[in-house]
Amino acid sequence: LRLDTNAAPGTTTNYWNSAAPTNQVFGVSPDGYNNNKDGQNTIAYCFAEKTGYSKFGQYNGNGNTNGPVIYTGFKPAFFIHKRIDNTGNWGLFDNKRSPSGGGNTISYNLNPDLNGAEYQSTSSMNVDFLSNGIKMRNDSGYFNHVSGDSFIYMAFAESPFKYANAG
């Protein structure tokens, strides 16, 4: 996947210099697949899931406005997702720009693959940040249009400590 495009995932192993990435190392190919070209900068975002701090995974849409819940085990502060079984824009949500006044509904989002300003939804692209995950509140193709659509996500916690609220 590339963060600067809405394209579906690529399938070539040439991106990784003919070796699949592991949890320890990855390679980059010098063969012109938009990474590691002579004279061009390359950025790699590498994350590791930490209980109570970050969660990465996949969810499937259910095709209605009462969308799926993604269990993270914490209240998110930042959430990014992308459809992976077809083309689809990246979506980025956070708890700092939404006018919900500390409520669950997050109505502002950004699209890292587009050059537009943030988008404020009236309802068609809202998500809820729950105490233990994310709830899709729409049936948009961006999130949840057809039952069985596949999406990947990453989420980071509002209080990034496993026992932050313990007495």
Side-chain angles (χ1 to χ4, degrees), residues 127-150:
V127 298
D128 284 349
F129 281 3
L130 308 174
S131 64
N132 63 352
I134 297 127
K135 170 81 172 160
M136 299 298 148
R137 291 287 182 196
N138 59 72
D139 60 356
S140 160
Y142 185 56
F143 296 102
N144 180 36
H145 181 62
V146 175
S147 182
D149 286 353
S150 295

Side-chain angles (χ1 to χ4, degrees), residues 1 4-5 9 27 33-34 38 40-41 48 72 80 84 103 106-107 109 113 126 128 135 137 141-142 148-149 166:
L1 287 171
D4 64 344
T5 178
Y33 283 95
N34 292 322
D38 285 342
Q40 296 207 359
N41 295 326
T72 61
I80 188 168
I84 59 168
I106 307 298
S107 57
N109 70 76
D113 57 310
N126 289 345
D128 284 349
K135 170 81 172 160
R137 291 287 182 196
Y142 185 56
D149 286 353

Side-chain angles (χ1 to χ4, degrees):
L1 287 171
R2 291 182 43 175
L3 191 59
D4 64 344
T5 178
N6 71 348
T11 58
T12 182
T13 59
N14 291 338
Y15 284 110
W16 308 113
N17 205 16
S18 299
T22 71
N23 65 352
Q24 302 274 325
V25 67
F26 70 93
V28 291
S29 177
D31 59 7
Y33 283 95
N34 292 322
N35 57 3
N36 205 29
K37 286 184 182 178
D38 285 342
Q40 296 207 359
N41 295 326
T42 298
I43 297 174
Y45 297 101
C46 302
F47 301 98
E49 191 169 293
K50 298 293 180 190
T51 302
Y53 180 77
S54 58
K55 183 80 172 169
F56 309 96
Q58 183 174 333
Y59 72 91
N60 292 319
N62 67 6
N64 68 60
T65 56
N66 186 19
V69 172
I70 301 166
Y71 176 77
T72 61
F74 54 79
K75 184 170 186 173
F78 176 86
F79 171 68
I80 188 168
H81 72 101
K82 184 186 185 328
R83 187 171 177 186
I84 59 168
D85 60 349
N86 206 329
T87 61
N89 295 106
W90 289 88
L92 184 152
F93 297 83
D94 65 75
N95 65 356
K96 300 299 182 200
R97 293 174 298 111
S98 184
S100 65
N104 290 344
T105 302
I106 307 298
S107 57
Y108 281 83
N109 70 76
L110 295 168
N111 303 105
D113 57 310
L114 300 175
N115 62 1
E118 72 182 356
Y119 175 78
Q120 181 183 10
S121 173
T122 53
S123 66
S124 64
M125 292 186 161
N126 289 345
V127 298
D128 284 349
F129 281 3
L130 308 174
S131 64
N132 63 352
I134 297 127
K135 170 81 172 160
M136 299 298 148
R137 291 287 182 196
N138 59 72
D139 60 356
S140 160
Y142 185 56
F143 296 102
N144 180 36
H145 181 62
V146 175
S147 182
D149 286 353
S150 295
F151 299 82
I152 58 160
Y153 72 90
M154 67 177 169
F156 293 91
E158 179 178 89
S159 294
F161 302 102
K162 187 174 181 180
Y163 302 108
N165 295 323

